[in-house]
Amino acid sequence: MRALLDLTPEEFHAWLHSQGQPPLRARQVRRWLFAGRAESFEQMTDLPLALRQALAAEFQLFGTRVARHLRSSDGTNKLLLRLQDDQLIECVLLQEDDRHTACISTQVGCGMACVFCASGLAGLERNLTPGEILEQLLRLRNLNPLTPDPSPTAALPANGRRKPAGTAPASGQHNVPAGLRRPFAERATGGEGRKEGGRLTHIVVMGMGEPLANLDNLLAALDIATSRDGLGIGARHVTISTVGLPSKMRRLAELKKQYHLAVSLHAPNDALRNQIVPTNDKTGIAAILDAADYFYDQTHRQVTYEYVLLRGVNDQPHHAEELARLLQKRQTHINLIPFNDVAGLPYRRPEQESLTDFVARLRRRGLVVHVRKRKGADIDAACGQLRRSALVEQGGTGAAPLVPLGLGPSPEPAAE
């Protein structure tokens, strides 16, 4: 049985036509799914009963199911989702004040083989469909309760006038609490009848997989997530991370979307990066930086460079100085990520003294530097850890981590 979100609009309209239904039914279903938070066709009470029954017989509203839900003491939520083919993926909801960020996956596993990352330990299985990417956003969004607006006008219709007593509710408002009976699209895009606590505010495509290796499906999903009748998330609140695929970076640039681009650099030179990110030997840092510069030229969106700090491997003073020379003439900022320890991998989080010195050296060169705050440490919120634990429990390939040999502290270069 196909998941509804895996149908193209044309396919769904054709199916509705075959059922003798008008095209407006597609908008109604979409409204219930994206703004009404429906989790079954039965809840779509402004659809004819026969249509709801036909939809339930033909499609699944959600093709994923929650295999595990972990909640951190800091408010982070992590979902392990089981797909229709029994594969597992992860997504995370990061919460801080009024900011609610969804971190989503684009592939089952990963083929980039970064030595410190749990996602790639079992290799790449397949790309996710646009529907599977969107379902992560919906499931994470639905973890946030929709807070009714208690103001006297919250339950009023769009024209601000109350209807006479006994008047039937407007289409799509059956069985909806009065405080939430604002227009669906308005609630999805920041209208007055809904508090910020109920919606996603940001998307980071930094979960399992290499996003640009599944660019078409990702873009299709983001087009819906950022549309007014989707989740209404502004394009400038979306960040796409990449290990550095120059041709795909250039293609994304030419689309002139207003998404942020984050390049996972992790090393200041090719010799070290080839060890940490094995695919680098096919690209090289120079080509990646050229593509990132092109992205900035085309979109005027500042590029972020991400750098996972591994104790004794890439966190030494000469690494900081070399990274500064590499990036200091570029319009960018650096996001330093102290490594989250992963069972089965030999790498460790840097010492605080090394981290402080690394930041100071970059800032002395005039670079903008942030250190990513650790979230969800008590629930294995780092990418791929929960899936790997589940595979181990099932006796799958996650039980045999691919630990690279010979990667130790890199030699300090000769003085210039």
Side-chain angles (χ1 to χ4, degrees):
M1 187 179 293
R2 292 185 70 182
L4 186 68
L5 286 174
D6 278 333
L7 272 68
T8 66
E10 293 76 19
E11 287 175 320
F12 190 44
H13 278 98
W15 183 86
L16 288 170
H17 180 74
S18 73
Q19 302 293 310
Q21 296 292 332
L24 69 88
R25 299 300 186 202
R27 294 196 300 274
Q28 288 176 288
V29 170
R30 183 186 181 106
R31 183 180 62 188
W32 274 107
L33 185 58
F34 285 98
R37 297 177 176 236
E39 297 197 358
S40 71
F41 292 112
E42 184 181 0
Q43 293 175 329
M44 301 180 181
T45 51
D46 61 348
L47 299 180
L49 177 60
L51 176 57
R52 282 181 273 155
Q53 292 172 337
L55 285 165
E58 191 77 20
F59 307 110
Q60 288 182 312
L61 189 57
F62 284 90
T64 61
R65 56 188 176 89
V66 178
R68 195 171 297 176
H69 178 192
L70 301 182
R71 298 175 181 86
S72 171
S73 57
D74 64 16
T76 300
N77 286 261
K78 185 164 193 175
L79 298 180
L80 181 70
L81 301 181
R82 190 171 296 277
L83 309 180
Q84 287 183 302
D85 60 359
D86 220 32
Q87 297 285 355
L88 295 169
I89 60 170
E90 300 175 6
C91 54
V92 181
L93 178 63
L94 304 163
Q95 307 193 84
E96 189 166 3
D97 299 325
D98 289 333
R99 186 181 180 116
H100 306 283
T101 302
C103 179
I104 58 172
S105 298
T106 52
Q107 295 179 310
V108 180
C110 185
M112 299 297 106
C114 299
V115 297
F116 57 82
C117 183
S119 291
L121 289 176
L124 174 66
E125 295 290 340
R126 66 172 176 86
N127 286 335
L128 297 182
T129 66
E132 290 167 336
I133 296 171
L134 277 168
E135 283 194 24
Q136 295 173 70
L137 294 171
L138 289 172
R139 289 202 176 276
L140 293 173
R141 189 278 309 271
N142 290 351
L143 296 178
N144 268 340
L146 184 63
T147 306
D149 188 336
S151 66
T153 60
L156 294 178
N159 61 11
R161 299 174 183 173
R162 295 189 183 275
K163 293 186 177 183
T167 303
S171 175
Q173 295 182 358
H174 298 73
N175 304 321
V176 179
L180 302 183
R181 286 181 188 164
R182 298 288 291 176
F184 277 103
E186 183 177 79
R187 287 196 273 113
T189 55
E192 296 176 2
R194 186 246 337 117
K195 295 288 188 181
E196 287 297 310
R199 66 187 293 261
L200 296 177
T201 60
H202 295 75
I203 298 171
V204 292
V205 191
M206 297 181 180
M208 292 168 47
E210 164 53 50
L212 296 192
N214 189 19
L215 184 56
D216 289 337
N217 288 350
L218 173 61
L219 290 174
L222 291 179
D223 280 347
I224 295 173
T226 58
S227 67
R228 289 184 60 82
D229 60 348
L231 290 174
I233 299 170
R236 292 188 172 214
H237 288 184
V238 176
T239 300
I240 299 173
S241 179
T242 179
V243 76
L245 305 182
S247 63
K248 298 295 182 69
M249 292 165 66
R250 289 176 178 275
R251 182 184 161 210
L252 181 62
E254 288 162 0
L255 295 173
K256 292 184 170 58
K257 302 283 187 180
Q258 287 298 291
Y259 305 140
H260 286 283
L261 180 67
V263 177
S264 298
L265 196 58
H266 308 320
N269 59 70
D270 282 324
L272 181 56
R273 194 169 194 266
N274 288 347
Q275 296 180 70
I276 297 175
V277 184
T279 56
N280 187 70
D281 64 1
K282 300 181 179 66
T283 55
I285 290 177
I288 293 170
L289 295 182
D290 283 347
D293 292 343
Y294 182 72
F295 181 88
Y296 175 76
D297 290 341
Q298 294 295 308
T299 66
H300 306 294
R301 306 296 291 155
Q302 182 173 264
V303 177
T304 296
Y305 287 92
E306 298 178 306
Y307 194 103
V308 171
L309 288 162
L310 307 169
R311 185 192 303 177
V313 176
N314 65 350
D315 67 339
Q316 299 303 296
H318 64 276
H319 295 130
E321 297 294 342
E322 192 174 0
L323 182 63
R325 290 193 296 271
L326 195 66
L327 299 179
Q328 67 183 134
K329 294 182 180 180
R330 291 180 159 85
Q331 184 70 28
T332 185
H333 75 265
I334 301 170
N335 191 6
L336 296 179
I337 308 167
F339 178 66
N340 284 320
D341 294 356
V342 177
L345 292 182
Y347 313 110
R348 293 293 175 262
R349 189 179 182 86
E351 300 285 357
Q352 184 59 46
E353 183 179 352
S354 297
L355 174 59
T356 301
D357 179 71
F358 204 98
V359 171
R361 289 174 182 275
L362 294 177
R363 287 179 175 165
R364 280 200 296 268
R365 295 283 194 130
L367 290 161
V368 178
V369 183
H370 295 92
V371 178
R372 181 178 295 178
K373 186 182 297 184
R374 195 175 189 186
K375 302 282 284 184
D378 55 332
I379 59 169
D380 286 342
C383 182
Q385 291 185 6
L386 183 56
R387 173 179 177 261
R388 180 167 176 264
S389 297
L391 290 176
V392 170
E393 291 171 8
Q394 295 174 183
T397 53
L402 305 178
V403 179
L405 301 176
L407 180 56
S410 61
E412 186 168 349
E416 294 180 348

